[in-house]
Coordinates of all heavy atoms in Angstrom, one line a residue:
M1 N 36.2 134.9 -53.8 CA 35.4 135.8 -52.9 C 34.1 135.1 -52.6 O 33.3 134.8 -53.5 CB 35.2 137.1 -53.7 CG 34.3 138.0 -53.0 SD 34.4 139.6 -53.9 CE 32.9 140.3 -53.5
T2 N 34.0 134.8 -51.4 CA 32.8 134.1 -51.0 C 31.9 135.1 -50.2 O 32.3 135.6 -49.2 CB 33.2 132.9 -50.1 OG1 33.9 133.4 -49.0 CG2 33.9 131.9 -50.8
E3 N 30.8 135.2 -50.8 CA 29.9 136.1 -50.1 C 28.7 135.3 -49.7 O 28.1 134.6 -50.6 CB 29.5 137.3 -51.1 CG 28.9 138.4 -50.3 CD 28.6 139.6 -51.3 OE1 29.4 139.8 -52.2 OE2 27.5 140.1 -51.1
E4 N 28.3 135.4 -48.5 CA 27.1 134.7 -48.0 C 25.9 135.3 -48.8 O 25.9 136.5 -48.9 CB 26.9 135.0 -46.5 CG 27.1 133.7 -45.7 CD 26.9 133.9 -44.3 OE1 25.7 134.0 -43.9 OE2 27.9 134.1 -43.5
P5 N 25.1 134.5 -49.2 CA 23.9 135.0 -49.8 C 23.1 135.8 -48.8 O 23.0 135.5 -47.6 CB 23.1 133.8 -50.3 CG 23.6 132.7 -49.5 CD 25.0 133.0 -49.1
R6 N 22.7 136.9 -49.3 CA 22.0 137.8 -48.4 C 20.7 137.2 -47.9 O 19.9 136.7 -48.7 CB 21.7 139.2 -49.1 CG 22.5 140.3 -48.5 CD 21.9 141.6 -49.0 NE 23.0 142.3 -49.7 CZ 22.8 143.4 -50.4 NH1 21.6 143.8 -50.5 NH2 23.8 144.0 -51.0
R7 N 20.6 137.2 -46.6 CA 19.3 136.7 -46.0 C 18.2 137.7 -46.2 O 18.4 138.9 -45.8 CB 19.5 136.3 -44.6 CG 20.4 135.2 -44.4 CD 20.1 134.6 -43.0 NE 20.9 133.3 -42.9 CZ 20.8 132.5 -41.9 NH1 20.0 132.9 -40.9 NH2 21.5 131.5 -41.8
R8 N 17.2 137.2 -46.6 CA 16.0 138.2 -46.7 C 15.3 138.2 -45.4 O 15.1 137.2 -44.7 CB 15.0 137.7 -47.8 CG 15.7 137.7 -49.1 CD 14.7 137.2 -50.1 NE 13.6 138.3 -50.2 CZ 12.8 138.4 -51.3 NH1 12.9 137.6 -52.3 NH2 11.9 139.4 -51.3
P9 N 15.1 139.4 -44.9 CA 14.4 139.5 -43.6 C 13.0 138.9 -43.7 O 12.4 139.1 -44.7 CB 14.4 141.0 -43.3 CG 14.6 141.6 -44.6 CD 15.3 140.7 -45.5
I10 N 12.7 138.2 -42.7 CA 11.3 137.7 -42.7 C 10.4 138.7 -42.0 O 10.6 139.1 -40.9 CB 11.3 136.3 -41.9 CG1 12.2 135.3 -42.6 CG2 9.8 135.8 -41.7 CD1 12.4 134.1 -41.7
L11 N 9.5 139.0 -42.8 CA 8.5 140.0 -42.3 C 7.5 139.4 -41.4 O 6.9 138.4 -41.8 CB 7.9 140.8 -43.4 CG 8.9 141.6 -44.3 CD1 8.1 142.2 -45.5 CD2 9.4 142.8 -43.4
K12 N 7.3 139.9 -40.3 CA 6.3 139.4 -39.4 C 5.3 140.5 -39.0 O 5.7 141.6 -38.7 CB 6.9 138.8 -38.1 CG 7.4 137.4 -38.3 CD 7.9 136.9 -37.0 CE 8.6 135.5 -37.2 NZ 9.2 135.0 -36.0
L13 N 4.1 140.1 -38.9 CA 3.1 141.0 -38.4 C 3.1 140.9 -36.9 O 2.6 139.9 -36.4 CB 1.8 140.8 -39.0 CG 1.6 141.3 -40.4 CD1 0.2 140.8 -40.9 CD2 1.7 142.8 -40.5
K14 N 3.7 141.8 -36.2 CA 3.7 141.7 -34.7 C 2.3 142.0 -34.2 O 1.9 141.4 -33.2 CB 4.7 142.7 -34.1 CG 6.1 142.1 -34.2 CD 7.1 143.0 -33.6 CE 8.5 142.4 -33.7 NZ 9.5 143.4 -33.4
N15 N 1.7 142.9 -34.8 CA 0.3 143.2 -34.3 C -0.7 143.0 -35.5 O -1.0 143.9 -36.2 CB 0.2 144.6 -33.8 CG 1.1 144.8 -32.6 OD1 0.9 144.1 -31.6 ND2 2.0 145.7 -32.6
P16 N -1.1 141.8 -35.6 CA -2.0 141.5 -36.7 C -3.3 142.4 -36.5 O -3.8 142.5 -35.4 CB -2.3 140.0 -36.7 CG -1.9 139.6 -35.3 CD -0.9 140.6 -34.8
P17 N -3.7 143.0 -37.6 CA -4.9 143.8 -37.4 C -6.1 143.0 -37.0 O -6.4 141.9 -37.5 CB -5.1 144.4 -38.8 CG -4.4 143.5 -39.7 CD -3.3 142.9 -39.0
K18 N -6.8 143.5 -36.1 CA -8.1 142.8 -35.7 C -9.2 143.2 -36.6 O -9.3 144.4 -36.9 CB -8.4 143.1 -34.2 CG -7.6 142.3 -33.2 CD -8.1 142.7 -31.8 CE -7.1 142.0 -30.8 NZ -7.4 142.5 -29.5
V19 N -10.0 142.3 -36.9 CA -11.2 142.7 -37.7 C -12.3 143.1 -36.7 O -12.7 142.4 -35.9 CB -11.7 141.4 -38.5 CG1 -12.9 141.8 -39.3 CG2 -10.6 141.0 -39.4
V20 N -12.6 144.4 -36.9 CA -13.6 144.9 -36.0 C -14.8 145.3 -36.8 O -14.7 146.0 -37.7 CB -13.0 146.2 -35.2 CG1 -14.1 146.8 -34.4 CG2 -11.8 145.8 -34.4
I21 N -15.9 144.7 -36.4 CA -17.1 145.0 -37.1 C -17.8 146.1 -36.2 O -18.1 145.9 -35.0 CB -18.0 143.8 -37.2 CG1 -17.3 142.7 -38.0 CG2 -19.4 144.1 -37.8 CD1 -17.9 141.3 -37.8
P22 N -18.0 147.2 -36.8 CA -18.6 148.3 -36.0 C -20.0 147.9 -35.5 O -20.8 147.4 -36.2 CB -18.7 149.5 -37.0 CG -18.0 149.1 -38.2 CD -17.8 147.6 -38.2
G23 N -20.2 148.2 -34.2 CA -21.5 147.9 -33.6 C -21.7 146.5 -33.2 O -22.7 146.2 -32.6
A24 N -20.7 145.6 -33.5 CA -20.9 144.2 -33.1 C -20.4 144.0 -31.7 O -19.4 144.5 -31.3 CB -20.1 143.3 -34.1
R25 N -21.2 143.2 -31.0 CA -20.8 142.9 -29.6 C -20.6 141.4 -29.5 O -21.2 140.7 -30.3 CB -21.9 143.3 -28.7 CG -22.0 144.8 -28.4 CD -23.1 145.0 -27.3 NE -23.9 146.1 -27.7 CZ -25.0 146.4 -27.0 NH1 -25.4 145.7 -26.0 NH2 -25.7 147.5 -27.4
P26 N -19.7 141.0 -28.6 CA -19.6 139.6 -28.4 C -21.0 139.0 -28.0 O -21.7 139.5 -27.2 CB -18.6 139.4 -27.3 CG -18.4 140.8 -26.7 CD -18.8 141.8 -27.8
A27 N -21.3 137.9 -28.6 CA -22.6 137.3 -28.4 C -22.7 136.8 -26.9 O -21.7 136.1 -26.5 CB -22.9 136.1 -29.3
P28 N -23.7 137.1 -26.2 CA -23.8 136.6 -24.8 C -24.1 135.1 -24.9 O -24.7 134.6 -25.8 CB -25.0 137.4 -24.3 CG -25.8 137.8 -25.5 CD -24.8 137.9 -26.6
P29 N -23.7 134.4 -23.9 CA -23.9 132.9 -23.9 C -25.4 132.7 -23.8 O -26.2 133.4 -23.2 CB -23.2 132.4 -22.6 CG -23.1 133.6 -21.8 CD -22.9 134.8 -22.7
P30 N -25.9 131.7 -24.6 CA -27.3 131.4 -24.6 C -27.8 131.0 -23.2 O -27.1 130.3 -22.5 CB -27.5 130.3 -25.6 CG -26.2 129.7 -25.7 CD -25.2 130.7 -25.4
P31 N -29.0 131.4 -22.8 CA -29.4 131.0 -21.4 C -29.7 129.5 -21.4 O -30.1 129.0 -22.5 CB -30.7 131.8 -21.3 CG -31.2 132.2 -22.7 CD -29.9 132.2 -23.5
P32 N -29.6 128.9 -20.3 CA -29.9 127.5 -20.2 C -31.3 127.2 -20.5 O -32.2 128.0 -20.1 CB -29.6 127.1 -18.8 CG -29.6 128.4 -18.0 CD -29.2 129.5 -19.0
V33 N -31.6 126.2 -21.3 CA -32.9 125.9 -21.7 C -33.7 125.4 -20.6 O -33.3 124.4 -19.9 CB -32.9 124.9 -22.9 CG1 -34.3 124.6 -23.3 CG2 -32.1 125.5 -24.1
Q34 N -34.8 126.0 -20.3 CA -35.7 125.6 -19.2 C -36.9 125.0 -19.9 O -37.6 125.7 -20.6 CB -36.1 126.7 -18.3 CG -35.0 127.1 -17.3 CD -35.1 126.2 -16.1 OE1 -35.8 125.2 -16.0 NE2 -34.3 126.6 -15.1
H35 N -37.2 123.7 -19.6 CA -38.4 123.1 -20.1 C -39.4 123.1 -19.0 O -39.2 122.9 -17.8 CB -38.1 121.7 -20.6 CG -37.2 121.6 -21.7 ND1 -37.5 122.2 -22.9 CD2 -35.9 121.1 -21.9 CE1 -36.5 122.0 -23.8 NE2 -35.5 121.4 -23.2
D36 N -40.6 123.4 -19.4 CA -41.7 123.5 -18.5 C -42.4 122.1 -18.3 O -43.0 121.9 -17.3 CB -42.8 124.5 -19.0 CG -42.2 125.8 -19.2 OD1 -41.4 126.3 -18.4 OD2 -42.5 126.5 -20.2
W37 N -42.2 121.3 -19.3 CA -43.0 120.0 -19.2 C -42.0 118.8 -19.6 O -41.0 119.0 -20.3 CB -44.1 120.0 -20.2 CG -45.1 121.0 -19.9 CD1 -45.2 122.3 -20.3 CD2 -46.3 120.9 -19.0 NE1 -46.2 123.0 -19.8 CE2 -46.9 122.1 -19.0 CE3 -46.8 119.8 -18.3 CZ2 -48.1 122.3 -18.2 CZ3 -47.9 120.0 -17.6 CH2 -48.6 121.2 -17.5
K38 N -42.5 117.7 -19.2 CA -41.7 116.5 -19.6 C -42.7 115.5 -20.2 O -43.8 115.3 -19.7 CB -41.1 115.8 -18.4 CG -39.8 116.4 -18.0 CD -39.0 115.5 -17.0 CE -37.6 115.9 -16.9 NZ -36.8 115.0 -16.0
C39 N -42.3 114.9 -21.3 CA -43.1 114.0 -22.1 C -43.2 112.7 -21.2 O -42.2 112.2 -20.7 CB -42.4 113.7 -23.4 SG -43.0 112.2 -24.2
K40 N -44.5 112.3 -21.0 CA -44.7 111.1 -20.1 C -44.1 109.8 -20.8 O -43.4 109.0 -20.2 CB -46.1 110.9 -19.8 CG -46.6 111.6 -18.5 CD -48.0 111.2 -18.2 CE -48.5 112.1 -17.1 NZ -50.0 111.9 -16.9
P41 N -44.3 109.6 -22.1 CA -43.8 108.4 -22.7 C -42.3 108.3 -22.7 O -41.7 107.2 -22.5 CB -44.3 108.5 -24.2 CG -45.6 109.3 -24.1 CD -45.3 110.3 -23.0
C42 N -41.6 109.4 -23.0 CA -40.1 109.3 -23.1 C -39.3 110.1 -22.2 O -38.1 109.9 -22.0 CB -39.7 109.6 -24.6 SG -39.6 111.3 -24.9
G43 N -40.0 111.1 -21.5 CA -39.2 111.9 -20.5 C -38.5 113.1 -21.0 O -37.8 113.7 -20.3
A44 N -38.6 113.3 -22.3 CA -37.9 114.5 -22.9 C -38.6 115.8 -22.4 O -39.8 115.8 -22.2 CB -38.0 114.4 -24.4
G45 N -37.8 116.8 -22.3 CA -38.3 118.1 -21.8 C -38.9 118.8 -23.0 O -38.4 118.7 -24.1
L46 N -39.9 119.6 -22.8 CA -40.4 120.4 -23.8 C -41.1 121.7 -23.2 O -41.4 121.7 -22.0 CB -41.4 119.7 -24.7 CG -42.8 119.3 -24.0 CD1 -43.9 119.5 -24.9 CD2 -42.7 117.8 -23.6
S47 N -41.3 122.6 -24.1 CA -42.0 123.8 -23.6 C -43.1 124.1 -24.6 O -43.1 123.7 -25.8 CB -41.1 125.0 -23.6 OG -40.0 124.8 -22.6
V48 N -44.1 124.7 -24.1 CA -45.3 125.1 -25.0 C -45.3 126.6 -25.2 O -45.3 127.3 -24.2 CB -46.6 124.6 -24.3 CG1 -47.8 125.0 -25.2 CG2 -46.6 123.1 -24.1
A49 N -45.2 127.0 -26.4 CA -45.2 128.4 -26.7 C -46.5 129.1 -26.2 O -47.5 128.5 -26.4 CB -45.0 128.6 -28.2
A50 N -46.3 130.2 -25.7 CA -47.5 130.9 -25.1 C -48.4 131.4 -26.2 O -49.6 131.7 -25.9 CB -47.0 132.1 -24.3
D51 N -47.9 131.6 -27.4 CA -48.8 132.2 -28.4 C -49.5 131.1 -29.3 O -50.1 131.4 -30.3 CB -48.0 133.1 -29.3 CG -46.8 132.4 -30.0 OD1 -46.5 131.2 -29.6 OD2 -46.1 133.0 -30.9
L52 N -49.5 129.9 -28.8 CA -50.2 128.8 -29.6 C -51.7 128.9 -29.3 O -52.1 129.2 -28.1 CB -49.7 127.4 -29.2 CG -48.3 127.0 -29.8 CD1 -47.9 125.7 -29.2 CD2 -48.5 126.9 -31.3
A53 N -52.5 128.5 -30.2 CA -53.9 128.5 -30.0 C -54.2 127.3 -29.1 O -53.5 126.3 -29.0 CB -54.6 128.3 -31.3
D54 N -55.3 127.5 -28.3 CA -55.7 126.4 -27.4 C -55.9 125.1 -28.0 O -55.6 124.1 -27.3 CB -57.0 126.8 -26.6 CG -56.7 127.8 -25.5 OD1 -55.5 128.0 -25.2 OD2 -57.7 128.2 -24.8
D55 N -56.3 125.0 -29.2 CA -56.5 123.7 -29.9 C -55.3 123.3 -30.7 O -55.4 122.3 -31.4 CB -57.8 123.8 -30.7 CG -57.7 124.8 -31.8 OD1 -56.7 125.6 -31.8 OD2 -58.6 124.9 -32.7
A56 N -54.2 123.9 -30.5 CA -53.0 123.5 -31.2 C -52.5 122.2 -30.6 O -52.4 122.1 -29.4 CB -51.9 124.6 -31.2
E57 N -52.1 121.3 -31.5 CA -51.7 120.0 -31.0 C -50.2 120.1 -30.6 O -49.4 120.6 -31.3 CB -51.8 119.0 -32.2 CG -51.7 117.6 -31.8 CD -51.9 116.7 -33.0 OE1 -51.0 116.5 -33.8 OE2 -53.1 116.2 -33.2
I58 N -49.9 119.6 -29.4 CA -48.5 119.6 -28.9 C -48.0 118.2 -29.0 O -48.6 117.2 -28.6 CB -48.5 120.0 -27.4 CG1 -49.2 121.4 -27.2 CG2 -47.0 120.1 -27.0 CD1 -48.6 122.5 -28.0
R59 N -46.9 118.1 -29.7 CA -46.2 116.8 -29.9 C -44.8 116.9 -29.2 O -44.2 117.9 -29.2 CB -46.1 116.4 -31.3 CG -47.4 116.0 -31.9 CD -47.2 115.6 -33.4 NE -48.5 115.0 -33.9 CZ -48.8 113.8 -33.9 NH1 -48.0 112.9 -33.3 NH2 -49.9 113.4 -34.4
C60 N -44.4 115.7 -28.7 CA -43.1 115.6 -28.1 C -42.0 115.8 -29.2 O -42.1 115.2 -30.2 CB -42.9 114.3 -27.4 SG -41.2 114.0 -26.9
P61 N -41.1 116.7 -29.0 CA -40.0 116.9 -30.0 C -39.1 115.7 -30.1 O -38.4 115.5 -31.1 CB -39.2 118.1 -29.4 CG -39.5 118.2 -28.0 CD -40.9 117.6 -27.8
A62 N -39.1 114.8 -29.1 CA -38.2 113.7 -29.2 C -38.9 112.4 -29.7 O -38.3 111.8 -30.6 CB -37.6 113.4 -27.8
C63 N -40.0 112.1 -29.2 CA -40.7 110.8 -29.7 C -41.9 111.1 -30.5 O -42.5 110.1 -31.0 CB -41.0 110.0 -28.5 SG -42.4 110.6 -27.5
N64 N -42.3 112.3 -30.7 CA -43.4 112.7 -31.6 C -44.7 112.2 -31.1 O -45.7 112.2 -31.8 CB -43.1 112.3 -33.0 CG -43.9 113.1 -34.0 OD1 -44.0 114.3 -33.8 ND2 -44.4 112.5 -35.1
A65 N -44.8 111.8 -29.8 CA -46.1 111.4 -29.3 C -47.0 112.6 -29.1 O -46.5 113.7 -28.8 CB -45.9 110.7 -27.9
K66 N -48.3 112.4 -29.4 CA -49.2 113.5 -29.2 C -49.4 113.7 -27.7 O -49.9 112.7 -27.0 CB -50.5 113.3 -29.9 CG -51.3 114.5 -30.0 CD -52.8 114.2 -30.4 CE -53.6 115.5 -30.2 NZ -55.0 115.2 -30.2
L67 N -49.1 114.8 -27.1 CA -49.2 114.9 -25.7 C -50.5 115.6 -25.3 O -51.0 115.4 -24.1 CB -48.0 115.8 -25.2 CG -46.7 115.2 -25.6 CD1 -45.6 116.1 -25.1 CD2 -46.5 113.8 -25.1
G68 N -51.1 116.4 -26.1 CA -52.3 117.1 -25.8 C -52.4 118.4 -26.6 O -51.6 118.6 -27.5
T69 N -53.3 119.2 -26.2 CA -53.4 120.5 -26.9 C -52.8 121.6 -26.0 O -52.6 121.4 -24.8 CB -54.9 120.9 -27.2 OG1 -55.5 121.0 -26.0 CG2 -55.5 119.8 -28.0
A70 N -52.5 122.7 -26.7 CA -51.9 123.8 -25.9 C -52.9 124.2 -24.7 O -52.4 124.6 -23.7 CB -51.6 125.0 -26.8
G71 N -54.2 124.1 -25.0 CA -55.1 124.4 -23.9 C -55.0 123.5 -22.8 O -55.1 123.9 -21.6
D72 N -54.8 122.2 -23.1 CA -54.6 121.2 -22.0 C -53.4 121.6 -21.1 O -53.4 121.4 -19.9 CB -54.3 119.8 -22.6 CG -55.6 119.2 -23.3 OD1 -56.7 119.7 -23.0 OD2 -55.4 118.3 -24.1
F73 N -52.4 122.0 -21.8 CA -51.2 122.4 -21.0 C -51.4 123.6 -20.1 O -50.8 123.7 -19.1 CB -50.0 122.7 -22.0 CG -49.3 121.5 -22.5 CD1 -49.8 120.8 -23.6 CD2 -48.2 121.0 -21.8 CE1 -49.2 119.6 -24.0 CE2 -47.5 119.8 -22.3 CZ -48.0 119.2 -23.4
R74 N -52.3 124.5 -20.5 CA -52.6 125.7 -19.7 C -53.6 125.5 -18.7 O -53.8 126.3 -17.8 CB -53.0 126.8 -20.7 CG -51.9 127.3 -21.6 CD -52.4 128.4 -22.5 NE -51.4 128.6 -23.6 CZ -51.8 128.6 -24.8 NH1 -53.0 128.4 -25.2 NH2 -50.9 128.7 -25.8
A75 N -54.4 124.3 -18.8 CA -55.4 124.1 -17.8 C -54.8 123.8 -16.4 O -53.7 123.3 -16.3 CB -56.3 122.9 -18.3
D76 N -55.6 124.3 -15.4 CA -55.1 124.1 -14.1 C -56.2 123.5 -13.2 O -57.2 124.3 -12.9 CB -54.6 125.4 -13.5 CG -53.8 125.2 -12.2 OD1 -53.4 124.1 -11.9 OD2 -53.7 126.2 -11.4
P77 N -56.2 122.3 -12.8 CA -55.1 121.4 -13.0 C -55.1 120.8 -14.4 O -56.2 120.8 -15.0 CB -55.4 120.3 -11.9 CG -56.9 120.3 -11.8 CD -57.3 121.7 -12.0
P78 N -54.0 120.3 -14.8 CA -53.9 119.7 -16.2 C -54.9 118.5 -16.3 O -55.0 117.7 -15.3 CB -52.5 119.2 -16.4 CG -51.7 119.9 -15.3 CD -52.7 120.2 -14.2
P79 N -55.6 118.4 -17.4 CA -56.5 117.2 -17.5 C -55.8 115.9 -17.6 O -54.6 115.9 -17.9 CB -57.2 117.5 -18.9 CG -56.3 118.4 -19.6 CD -55.6 119.2 -18.6
A80 N -56.5 114.8 -17.2 CA -55.8 113.5 -17.2 C -55.3 113.0 -18.5 O -54.4 112.2 -18.6 CB -56.8 112.5 -16.6
R81 N -55.9 113.6 -19.6 CA -55.5 113.1 -20.9 C -54.2 113.7 -21.3 O -53.6 113.3 -22.3 CB -56.6 113.4 -22.0 CG -56.7 114.9 -22.2 CD -57.7 115.2 -23.4 NE -57.9 116.6 -23.5 CZ -58.9 117.3 -22.9 NH1 -59.7 116.7 -22.1 NH2 -59.0 118.6 -23.1
L82 N -53.7 114.7 -20.6 CA -52.5 115.3 -20.9 C -51.3 114.3 -20.7 O -51.2 113.7 -19.6 CB -52.2 116.5 -20.1 CG -51.0 117.4 -20.4 CD1 -51.2 118.0 -21.8 CD2 -50.8 118.5 -19.4
R83 N -50.6 114.0 -21.7 CA -49.5 113.0 -21.6 C -48.1 113.7 -21.4 O -47.1 113.4 -22.0 CB -49.5 112.2 -22.9 CG -50.7 111.4 -23.1 CD -50.7 110.7 -24.4 NE -49.7 109.5 -24.3 CZ -49.2 109.0 -25.4 NH1 -49.5 109.4 -26.6 NH2 -48.4 108.0 -25.3
A84 N -48.2 114.6 -20.5 CA -46.9 115.3 -20.0 C -47.1 115.7 -18.6 O -48.2 115.9 -18.1 CB -46.7 116.5 -20.9
R85 N -46.0 115.8 -17.9 CA -46.1 116.3 -16.5 C -45.2 117.5 -16.3 O -44.2 117.6 -17.0 CB -45.7 115.1 -15.6 CG -44.4 114.5 -15.9 CD -44.2 113.2 -15.0 NE -43.2 112.3 -15.7 CZ -41.9 112.4 -15.6 NH1 -41.4 113.4 -14.9 NH2 -41.1 111.6 -16.2
P86 N -45.6 118.3 -15.4 CA -44.8 119.5 -15.2 C -43.3 119.2 -14.8 O -43.1 118.2 -14.0 CB -45.5 120.2 -14.0 CG -46.8 119.7 -14.0 CD -46.7 118.2 -14.5
A87 N -42.4 119.9 -15.4 CA -41.0 119.6 -15.0 C -40.7 120.3 -13.7 O -41.1 121.4 -13.5 CB -40.1 120.1 -16.2
K88 N -39.9 119.6 -12.9 CA -39.5 120.2 -11.7 C -38.4 121.3 -11.9 O -37.5 121.0 -12.7 CB -38.9 119.1 -10.8 CG -39.9 118.2 -10.3 CD -40.4 118.5 -8.9 CE -41.7 117.8 -8.5 NZ -41.5 116.3 -8.3
R89 N -38.5 122.4 -11.3 CA -37.5 123.4 -11.5 C -36.5 123.4 -10.4 O -36.8 123.1 -9.3 CB -38.2 124.8 -11.4 CG -39.2 124.9 -12.5 CD -39.0 126.2 -13.3 NE -39.9 126.2 -14.5 CZ -39.6 127.0 -15.5 NH1 -38.5 127.6 -15.6 NH2 -40.5 127.0 -16.5
Ligands
ZN1 ZN1 -41.5 112.0 -25.9

């Protein structure tokens, strides 16, 4: 008497439960970074935070050159010692 071994049914989750975090929303895509200034020595873009003190030293994030103070960046027109130029929008 030959009996086929009973096949065990393969259990599949047809609808896997989704992990839902209450109150969580899909993160919106980050806005494109807009730089206000460009480092004169290397051309990297940078922005100057509005809450910096006027005498705060601004350095290029890429080449670490001292570009001027936050006050220099806010002056209109920018002083000649400022080593950054306004980025074109
Ligand atoms: Zn630089």
Side-chain angles (χ1 to χ4, degrees):
M1 171 174 158
T2 57
E3 197 178 319
E4 250 181 75
R6 249 193 238 171
R7 290 200 175 186
R8 298 182 65 159
I10 298 167
L11 295 173
K12 278 185 184 170
L13 284 174
K14 279 183 184 168
N15 295 305
K18 280 185 188 169
V19 178
V20 176
I21 301 164
R25 285 187 222 169
V33 177
Q34 282 275 11
H35 294 299
D36 303 319
W37 297 90
K38 277 194 165 186
C39 168
K40 269 184 189 171
C42 79
L46 69 138
S47 296
V48 178
D51 57 352
L52 282 175
D54 275 356
D55 59 353
E57 194 176 84
I58 306 298
R59 283 181 177 272
C60 171
C63 72
N64 205 37
K66 191 193 170 195
L67 305 178
T69 64
D72 291 340
F73 279 84
R74 291 182 197 125
D76 190 23
R81 66 173 177 272
L82 188 64
R83 295 176 72 200
R85 53 192 156 81
K88 292 259 165 73
R89 300 233 174 201

